[in-house]
Amino acid sequence: MRNALGLMLASVVAAVVIAAGGWFYYSASADPGAPKTVAARAADPLPAQTKIAAKDDVATTAAIAAKPTAVAQASAPTPAPVAPVQPKQACANPNALGVARVVEIDTTGGPGFGFEHFKQFDFLTDKEVVLTFDDGPWPVNTPAVLKALADECTKGLFFSVGKHATYHPEILRQVLAQGHTVGTHTWSHVNLNSKKMTEQQVKDEVEKGFSAVRFALGTNPAPFFRFPQLQHNPAMVTYFGTRNVAMFSTDIDSFDFRKGATPEKIVETVMGRLDKLGKGIILMHDFQKHTGEAMPALLARLKAGGYKVVQMKAKTTFQTLPEYDEALLKDLKVPTSSARPIGSVVQTVSQ
């Protein structure tokens, strides 16, 4: 009897041991990636809005949730989502003319634009215009043009005279800061086809103009150039091909520089010609007082007529020649150390 009870007790103990061993083996060999029942530590709260360093006037606008979701708590930590990049400042005008499209120009070989002189690149479609402005920057007049463009959230192309750029660099920087394209228009707005000009003097006028605009901006301008008075010097046309500079003529001249020009006449001149052609590069002058006064009405007429603005940008920037940079600084009596861009001298490290 005692032998029978002993055998039964031994059998029970053996069964328990076998079951425990099997459970231990199963647990050890189970998928290590299976969800655990222990709750993960909550992540540190994220700020309500994440900001990135500004580049080309962009900033993040999407908010990130302050608390992780249940799925995030159960999984391994992952990088915070990248917020979509949006314009730094949204257009405050819901009915603005705006910019229909932006085109990037490869200036290799010195292409020409504007059918008055160059007929190779017909890139505008019906009802498209490019707004261009010559001879600035200039007090009052250039800011008036900038305000009109900003009110309609649209963009233009500015051809700056180098000497004017050195007079008013703060205005030219404002042009660039507002997202417009900046090209050049010689150093002193001289007629490059004048018989009094030698080939070297013509080259000096062009290269010094580029160096002056670069100095004023604190960065390289676009490799875009317009000849003063639209006088295209044949030798310089060839030269620009070697310097990879795009040349600009026009399709529609506003004649805003003429004696007796008024804001009303400027608008009627542009719109009359534009309605006949249907599209084109418009030539204006931010140096002229009446141009700034005409801009609000002109932009309103463009919008009412169903016209759309195209902004032209360059694929690369223009590289000035060191000898002209140095000559400019010498002429302006500027200490060499001040030629450094402001961003390389002064940087915000805490805000």
Side-chain angles (χ1 to χ4, degrees), residues 1-10:
M1 183 69 164
R2 277 187 286 182
N3 289 339
L5 289 174
L7 288 173
M8 290 178 62
L9 181 59

Side-chain angles (χ1 to χ4, degrees), residues 206-228:
V206 169
E207 293 289 356
K208 189 176 180 180
F210 271 110
S211 290
V213 172
R214 177 184 180 274
F215 171 80
L217 290 176
T219 189
N220 294 327
F224 289 170
F225 180 87
R226 180 176 269 153
F227 285 88

Side-chain angles (χ1 to χ4, degrees), residues 27 78 222-223 228 327 336:
S27 298
T78 57
T336 305

Side-chain angles (χ1 to χ4, degrees), residues 28-328:
S29 61
D31 181 4
K36 306 296 189 296
T37 57
V38 180
R41 182 182 67 84
D44 295 332
L46 293 172
Q49 187 172 4
T50 301
K51 295 182 179 180
I52 59 175
K55 182 178 181 181
D56 295 334
D57 291 333
V58 297
T60 58
T61 57
I64 301 175
K67 295 181 179 180
T69 62
V71 173
Q73 289 179 347
S75 61
T78 57
V82 178
V85 174
Q86 300 292 341
K88 189 175 184 179
Q89 291 183 343
C91 182
N93 181 358
N95 299 313
L97 177 61
V99 174
R101 66 185 177 113
V102 178
V103 296
E104 184 180 80
I105 307 301
D106 183 345
T107 61
T108 302
F113 300 93
F115 268 55
E116 187 166 324
H117 292 89
F118 306 106
K119 306 184 187 301
Q120 183 177 0
F121 299 106
D122 186 11
F123 70 97
L124 294 176
T125 62
D126 189 43
K127 292 281 187 176
E128 286 189 335
V129 299
V130 177
L131 305 174
T132 70
F133 304 89
D134 289 6
D135 298 356
W138 205 250
V140 180
N141 304 340
T142 300
V145 170
L146 291 178
K147 183 181 185 307
L149 295 174
D151 288 345
E152 287 294 336
C153 303
T154 194
K155 306 296 180 184
L157 169 53
F158 289 74
F159 294 97
S160 174
V161 171
K163 187 177 291 187
H164 294 172
T166 63
Y167 292 163
H168 310 287
E170 73 287 349
I171 299 178
L172 193 60
R173 290 190 193 114
Q174 185 181 3
V175 173
L176 186 66
Q178 292 189 12
H180 305 289
T181 304
V182 178
T184 68
H185 199 42
T186 71
W187 162 250
S188 62
H189 202 269
V190 67
N191 182 348
L192 298 184
N193 265 341
S194 171
K195 293 180 180 180
K196 297 180 180 180
M197 299 281 289
T198 66
E199 186 174 339
Q200 185 60 49
Q201 287 174 325
V202 171
K203 178 182 176 182
D204 292 346
E205 267 286 316
V206 169
E207 293 289 356
K208 189 176 180 180
F210 271 110
S211 290
V213 172
R214 177 184 180 274
F215 171 80
L217 290 176
T219 189
N220 294 327
F224 289 170
F225 180 87
R226 180 176 269 153
F227 285 88
Q229 303 172 43
L230 300 180
Q231 293 291 315
H232 293 76
N233 179 289
M236 286 309 297
V237 170
T238 301
Y239 178 74
F240 281 138
T242 67
R243 295 286 278 133
N244 298 321
V245 173
M247 296 164 288
F248 284 76
S249 180
T250 186
D251 298 311
I252 300 162
D253 196 333
S254 67
F255 296 111
D256 55 355
F257 59 90
R258 286 183 173 178
K259 185 178 180 180
T262 65
E264 294 76 20
K265 285 184 179 180
I266 293 170
V267 173
E268 292 306 319
T269 298
V270 171
M271 295 306 302
R273 181 66 173 159
L274 184 56
D275 288 340
K276 290 181 180 179
L277 292 180
K279 61 180 182 178
I281 297 173
I282 303 173
L283 168 58
M284 295 172 281
H285 298 79
D286 58 313
F287 181 78
Q288 300 294 332
K289 180 174 182 289
H290 292 312
T291 304
E293 296 171 342
M295 285 307 298
L298 177 59
L299 296 177
R301 286 282 296 274
L302 289 173
K303 183 166 54 178
Y307 291 97
K308 300 181 183 300
V309 174
V310 174
Q311 182 179 16
M312 299 181 72
K313 292 186 176 183
K315 185 176 181 179
T316 59
T317 59
F318 181 82
Q319 301 297 317
T320 57
L321 298 177
E323 58 266 34
Y324 286 95
D325 292 340
E326 294 169 5
L328 175 73

